Amino acid sequence: MEYLEFELPIKELEEQLEKCQIIGEESDVDVTETCKQIEKKLAETKKEIYKNLTAWQRVQLSRHPNRPYTLDHIRALCGDSFLELHGDRNVKDDKAMIGGLGKIGDQSYMFIGQQKGYNTKTRQYRNFGMSNPEGYRKALRLMKSAEKFGIPVVTLIDTPGAYPGLEAEERGQGEAIARNILEMSRLKVPIITIIIGEGASGGALGIGVGDKVMMLENTWYSVISPESCSSILWRSWEYKEQAAEALRLTAKDMKRMKLVDQIIKEPLGGAHTDREKTFLAVRDAIVKSYEELKNLSPKELVKNRMTKYEEMGVYKD
């Protein structure tokens, strides 16, 4: 288990508990009471730390190296029924954007999402979860296929942003994202969107238009990352914590501003501490959302979706 800086008090107590248990196993000394006291202190410390997380600490949790990624969620949700589909039929297959058909129970879904890597080799292979234009065009191709066959779409967002390289701009990065936003707004099947990690900038918006948009508890959704915001405003990354607070990027902030519909609760300590519980919560959220949307006609779906986004940012004095 890897620990973040603010989790070091938890690490120290867990190490104390482990040492105490080893002493009890290797000697005749009764350490039961001592272990109980450490366990109690550990539980209190965890509760105190995770109850008062700052915006920057939630950003750190969303990037935790042990956090489940898109393929982890899909495999847990669909098992062997997932069939990955490749390519945009124009340039190539973008490995940072994955998609395909899978079943939850007896219902088929088209799953689309950004995929990060687990180590240096796979991070390069997945381009750190940053899609090129062909990734967004592949996503659109799959969404249009789902529409053709009446299959609901589930998008899983986890990206530090769309790839900003010269070649991506040459192939129309901005146009690809804008086209996806336009086409998703009028897609005639239910779209369920879940932010499972980082939700940064247009890279997230390119697959982020949905009838039901949800966020896992320790994720963020913003036009810019805290580091980039800090570097623009203060010419330094040192103010990233201040920038994170100012951006109002946490799930609670998004829900309060009515930019997302629901927050999916995570296990204490983050999604990586109990993956099975996280997968079950995500599964339940998808199934419940589809039940609410499946009886709406295509015309009603599009109308409600358009109304939802038109009302964002509108305030009355």
Side-chain angles (χ1 to χ4, degrees):
M1 176 69 75
E2 294 188 42
Y3 295 87
L4 301 171
E5 189 179 346
F6 66 89
E7 294 177 312
L8 291 180
I10 295 170
K11 181 184 178 183
E12 290 173 9
L13 285 168
E14 287 183 342
E15 287 175 349
Q16 287 178 24
L17 180 60
E18 188 179 353
K19 287 175 184 175
C20 185
Q21 289 169 341
I22 290 170
I23 291 168
E25 290 169 5
E26 295 179 351
S27 68
D28 295 328
V29 181
D30 185 5
V31 294
T32 307
E33 192 60 37
T34 307
C35 285
K36 282 183 180 179
Q37 288 177 2
I38 297 172
E39 284 173 353
K40 184 180 178 184
K41 179 67 175 173
L42 178 60
E44 290 172 354
T45 303
K46 279 185 176 180
K47 193 173 180 182
E48 188 64 28
I49 287 175
Y50 295 121
K51 185 177 72 175
N52 300 300
L53 289 175
T54 65
W56 173 244
Q57 287 169 342
R58 291 196 189 275
V59 171
Q60 289 178 290
L61 274 177
S62 76
R63 297 169 175 169
H64 198 286
N66 300 126
R67 192 175 179 86
Y69 295 144
T70 295
L71 274 175
D72 298 316
H73 282 275
I74 291 174
R75 285 168 183 152
L77 294 169
C78 305
D80 296 332
S81 70
F82 180 63
L83 174 66
E84 188 173 355
L85 303 171
H86 300 273
D88 71 337
R89 293 184 181 172
N90 186 21
V91 178
K92 63 177 182 179
D93 184 41
D94 189 338
K95 305 301 181 186
M97 183 77 75
I98 62 159
L101 292 163
K103 281 189 172 185
I104 299 178
D106 294 325
Q107 176 62 47
S108 294
Y109 296 88
M110 181 66 81
F111 288 92
I112 298 165
Q114 291 106 351
Q115 175 66 24
K116 295 177 177 177
Y118 300 94
N119 52 38
T120 303
K121 187 176 180 180
T122 57
R123 281 171 193 144
Q124 289 177 330
Y125 179 72
R126 297 291 182 184
N127 201 30
F128 299 89
M130 296 186 291
S131 296
N132 280 282
E134 51 270 23
Y136 292 101
R137 290 174 181 136
K138 173 168 76 171
L140 180 57
R141 179 175 78 81
L142 299 185
M143 284 187 265
K144 298 300 279 186
S145 295
E147 181 183 51
K148 181 179 179 180
F149 296 104
I151 298 170
V153 174
V154 175
T155 64
L156 302 173
I157 295 173
D158 185 13
T159 180
Y163 183 59
L166 178 62
E167 62 272 30
E169 296 300 329
E170 287 174 341
R171 293 197 297 273
Q173 185 72 284
E175 187 277 338
I177 292 170
R179 171 68 59 183
N180 276 25
I181 294 171
L182 171 65
E183 295 293 346
M184 289 183 81
S185 69
R186 58 192 187 191
L187 206 71
K188 294 181 175 65
V189 290
I191 307 173
I192 300 164
T193 296
I194 303 177
I195 298 151
I196 60 169
E198 298 183 89
S201 194
L205 282 178
I207 57 168
V209 179
D211 300 294
K212 191 87 169 178
V213 180
M214 297 172 277
M215 293 177 72
L216 282 170
E217 190 178 7
N218 295 309
T219 62
W220 60 278
Y221 199 18
S222 176
V223 71
I224 194 170
S225 71
E227 294 96 331
S228 298
C229 177
S230 175
S231 67
I232 290 171
L233 294 181
W234 291 282
R235 300 286 187 267
S236 167
W237 280 24
E238 291 180 12
Y239 299 92
K240 55 186 179 292
E241 295 181 38
Q242 189 175 334
E245 291 292 340
L247 284 167
R248 298 287 186 268
L249 43 66
T250 67
K252 285 184 178 179
D253 292 322
M254 292 291 108
K255 181 73 167 64
R256 186 169 60 251
M257 293 187 283
K258 298 182 180 177
L259 298 177
V260 300
D261 304 298
Q262 182 183 331
I263 299 171
I264 302 172
K265 194 165 179 62
E266 292 184 24
L268 188 68
H272 59 283
T273 60
D274 190 340
R275 287 182 165 219
E276 294 306 315
K277 191 174 180 181
T278 303
F279 296 146
L280 189 60
V282 170
R283 181 188 186 279
D284 290 345
I286 292 171
V287 171
K288 186 179 178 184
S289 297
Y290 180 63
E291 286 297 316
E292 293 173 6
L293 298 168
K294 70 178 183 180
N295 294 323
L296 295 175
S297 68
K299 190 174 180 180
E300 288 174 318
L301 279 171
V302 173
K303 182 183 176 183
N304 293 348
R305 196 182 303 140
M306 293 293 286
T307 301
K308 171 185 174 179
Y309 282 91
E310 284 170 357
E311 288 177 351
M312 286 183 182
V314 175
Y315 295 91
K316 293 180 181 179
D317 292 332

